[in-house]
Amino acid sequence: MTHKRQRDKPLILMLDDNPVNLEELAGLVDEAGFDVLRAETGEVALVQAVAQLPDLILLDVMMPGMDGFTVCQTLKTIPTTRDIPVLFMTALADTADKLKGFQVGAVDYITKPFQYEEVLARVQTHLTLQKLKLELQEKEQRLSRIFENAMDAILTLDEAGRITLFNAAAEQMFRCKAADNIGRAVDRFLSPELYKTLTNFRNGVPAEQAIWVSEGMSAVRADESTFPIEATISRVEAIGQKLYILILRDINERKARQQAEAECNTLRGINLYLQEEVLASRDGEELIGNSPALHQAMDLVRQVADTDATVLITGETGTGKELIARAIHNLSARKDKTLVKLNCATIPENLAESELFGHEKGSFTGAIARKLGRFELANGGTLFLDEIGELPLEMQAKLLRVLQEGEFERVGGTQTLTCDVRVIAATHRDLAQFSQQGKFRADLYYRLNVFPINLPPLRERKEDVPFLVKHFIDKYAAKFGKKIQSIPERMMADLQSYFWPGNIRELQHIIERAVILTKGSQLAAVDCVNVMGAGAPTAAPIVTLDEAERAHILKALEATSWRIAGNQGAAKILGVPSTTLRSRMEKLGISKPV
């Protein structure tokens, strides 16, 4: 209500042309705990009413100039004052005058001479009624907002089944205006089965206050098209009448909304994956060095980048195969698209197909939403399949089909999808030997080996070690807030003489450790490399059986990228069950490095 204001006490406006009566009545009302405004003319009363918006107005009827009837009639034409209750104070006994007062908008009258108890009782009664009226209006407005903003269609019906309320969602659902349907029978919007259910409920079957109508019923739009619904029907008592509330939800829209939410979640996952890929590409080390072996590899990169040829990158672990893949992508016409990667050694065999090709909702336990595979994510761009030699044989056949035909299906799906993806694969395995042994499909090997690039190990490009050392020192000094200006000559000589079985990755970790230990401007010397000279490692000393077994298991695990089970796992190579290998690993204290 526009005239309601927050006050400590109700405010009453009094209009009377007799100052004595006005003062006497004002004193009485003031003593009763009300605030009072006084006016002796109708014009003054109107000004005060508009400015102060009192809670109640007492008007004298017979006054010179503008009389009480005219004041009341004028108040009812002003939006901010029309709902303020008006009581007439009159000595007139004529019934026609009293009726005129009600006709111009008064709610009651007080007869002069005043009986003060009656005045206070009537004032208090109408203030209470006004308060209750305002509270009811606020509740109705709140309920109306709830009805109008509800996502489900809400219809209220009278006892005869006529529509008394038709909210905005119902307008959208049935594609018609509420104004055209208020007062009309509801059966035009319900299928015969649903209308029968409603009729039985109105007749008391069942006797509950509300029932749930699950899937299987339908409703009818204004254009007579039907659609499946789920609904609740309830009954309420209001002012001695029964009302029925029908809440309807379009099942097709609900399912479409759920599908849209699932797609949105999928897109969020894609966005998160792409953000991680962007960060990874920025954090990846550049190809550092000036050796002939590195120059030869980079020449091959530049030659193949502008084509869509499949590339197979080979080399020992830690030589930078992913960096070569990124370099090919960044120099290609696909550089503005995404480089998506998948490490085939880290995915479980039963999830490999889903990771590559995606899956449909419900295709297997845990598939709560559709998921896009790496080929869909990389459409138009490049897919880097790292450690391709670890891909299960069953998946190799499906990968070959995509490479040859550019077609695939999601797990659990029937639609054949096409993609435009440039594939770059990498492995530390000898795939030619693997194919001869039946561990890798020969046809897939030949399909991948269109353009091979071999990365030499770090021991074959010793001249690049100083460049890499400086690069890693600069990186980690900035990361840990240190300023390192030099490196001990002996340490540099050791680094260049070392055999580097872990290649560039091992060098990177050694430099990171040295930077952490550095306290001054010179890189701290770390006793973590064994100088091997120019040749291969010297013969190892004799060790215990447990030590020998531990070293042998570690070698198998490193060769399989710590994959234990499966045809390409360490257990298979060692010729023992995976459970036995896990048991021996636990006994010997072997765990995968973080």
Side-chain angles (χ1 to χ4, degrees), residues 319-349:
T319 52
K321 294 186 288 296
E322 182 178 339
L323 298 180
I324 291 293
R326 290 190 183 278
I328 294 172
H329 174 76
N330 292 335
L331 292 172
S332 74
R334 299 172 181 263
K335 62 183 178 182
D336 294 329
K337 299 294 183 178
T338 307
L339 171 64
V340 176
K341 66 178 182 177
L342 176 66
N343 190 323
C344 301
T346 61
I347 55 174
E349 290 186 30

Side-chain angles (χ1 to χ4, degrees), residues 362-381:
S363 56
F364 54 84
T365 303
I368 60 175
R370 171 187 289 178
K371 176 184 176 181
L372 304 187
R374 295 296 204 271
F375 271 96
E376 284 186 85
L377 290 174
N379 192 34

Side-chain angles (χ1 to χ4, degrees), residues 169-469:
E171 289 184 322
Q172 184 176 2
M173 175 180 288
F174 292 105
R175 298 172 186 171
C176 56
K177 296 294 184 181
D180 298 333
N181 294 287
I182 300 298
R184 301 184 65 177
V186 74
D187 59 344
R188 61 176 301 206
F189 295 118
L190 309 180
S191 67
E193 297 84 358
L194 182 56
Y195 184 67
K196 181 179 179 180
T197 300
L198 174 63
T199 301
N200 290 339
F201 183 75
R202 286 165 52 201
N203 292 332
V205 181
E208 286 84 356
Q209 288 296 108
I211 61 172
W212 166 254
V213 180
S214 58
E215 295 188 24
M217 297 287 185
S218 59
V220 185
R221 302 191 202 278
D223 60 6
E224 299 187 356
S225 62
T226 61
F227 59 97
I229 59 94
E230 53 191 9
T232 59
I233 306 174
S234 58
R235 61 169 64 90
V236 295
E237 293 277 347
I239 319 177
Q241 294 182 341
K242 286 184 179 179
L243 293 178
Y244 300 90
I245 301 173
L246 189 60
I247 301 177
L248 300 165
R249 179 175 297 171
D250 187 331
I251 292 177
N252 290 335
E253 287 188 5
R254 172 175 61 77
K255 290 181 177 179
R257 190 160 51 245
Q258 290 174 339
Q259 181 65 30
E261 290 174 356
E263 294 288 351
C264 185
N265 290 334
T266 300
L267 290 175
R268 288 194 189 102
I270 294 172
N271 184 54
L272 181 60
Y273 170 81
L274 295 180
Q275 289 178 15
E276 291 174 350
E277 286 299 298
V278 169
L279 291 175
S281 66
R282 291 177 178 175
D283 191 51
E285 306 301 340
E286 299 297 332
L287 291 162
I288 306 297
N290 196 34
S291 64
L294 183 59
H295 280 301
Q296 182 179 0
M298 289 306 300
D299 286 341
L300 293 174
V301 167
R302 284 186 283 269
Q303 291 176 44
V304 77
D306 281 337
T307 73
D308 278 339
T310 303
V311 179
L312 179 61
I313 306 170
T314 58
E316 295 179 6
T317 300
T319 52
K321 294 186 288 296
E322 182 178 339
L323 298 180
I324 291 293
R326 290 190 183 278
I328 294 172
H329 174 76
N330 292 335
L331 292 172
S332 74
R334 299 172 181 263
K335 62 183 178 182
D336 294 329
K337 299 294 183 178
T338 307
L339 171 64
V340 176
K341 66 178 182 177
L342 176 66
N343 190 323
C344 301
T346 61
I347 55 174
E349 290 186 30
N350 60 333
L351 295 180
E353 185 174 3
S354 172
E355 288 294 332
L356 281 170
F357 308 123
H359 62 249
E360 297 290 351
K361 179 181 179 181
S363 56
F364 54 84
T365 303
I368 60 175
R370 171 187 289 178
K371 176 184 176 181
L372 304 187
R374 295 296 204 271
F375 271 96
E376 284 186 85
L377 290 174
N379 192 34
T382 305
L383 175 60
F384 175 52
L385 298 175
D386 199 6
E387 298 299 346
I388 189 70
E390 316 308 316
L391 194 67
L393 282 169
E394 180 184 354
M395 287 308 305
Q396 293 177 23
K398 296 184 178 181
L399 175 60
L400 180 63
R401 179 197 171 198
V402 182
L403 294 177
Q404 291 178 337
E405 303 173 14
E407 296 180 348
F408 65 93
E409 291 85 29
R410 299 191 191 104
V411 177
T414 57
Q415 181 182 4
T416 299
L417 305 173
T418 60
C419 62
D420 172 26
V421 176
R422 197 249 185 96
V423 172
I424 301 174
T427 181
H428 73 281
R429 301 285 194 184
D430 184 344
L431 292 187
Q433 183 180 358
F434 259 38
S435 64
Q436 293 175 4
Q437 297 172 352
K439 298 179 180 179
F440 197 85
R441 291 182 63 103
D443 47 4
L444 178 58
Y445 166 64
Y446 294 127
R447 184 63 183 80
L448 292 172
N449 199 37
V450 174
F451 196 92
I453 297 177
N454 180 258
L455 282 184
L458 186 56
R459 61 182 172 276
E460 295 179 9
R461 38 180 292 212
K462 293 290 185 68
E463 55 267 62
D464 289 338
V465 170
F467 297 99
L468 290 165
V469 169

Side-chain angles (χ1 to χ4, degrees), residues 61-75:
V61 175
M62 303 301 296
M63 292 184 302
M66 183 181 294
D67 64 10
F69 295 133
T70 305
V71 173
C72 182
Q73 195 168 20
T74 304
L75 287 170

Side-chain angles (χ1 to χ4, degrees), residues 467-533:
F467 297 99
L468 290 165
V469 169
K470 182 179 185 306
H471 176 76
F472 291 132
I473 288 175
D474 292 342
K475 173 185 176 179
Y476 291 112
K479 179 179 179 180
F480 299 126
K482 298 186 178 184
K483 188 174 182 180
I484 300 175
Q485 299 176 338
S486 63
I487 179 174
E489 292 184 9
R490 177 59 184 273
M491 183 176 179
M492 180 59 78
D494 289 346
L495 293 173
Q496 288 184 284
S497 302
Y498 184 48
F499 188 70
W500 294 115
N503 292 292
I504 298 173
R505 188 175 297 128
E506 184 181 4
L507 173 62
Q508 177 182 354
H509 295 162
I510 287 174
I511 298 302
E512 181 179 10
R513 189 182 316 137
V515 171
I516 293 173
L517 295 172
T518 299
K519 296 181 179 179
S521 61
Q522 186 178 68
L523 185 70
V526 289
D527 184 19
C528 55
V529 297
N530 295 316
V531 179
M532 302 299 178

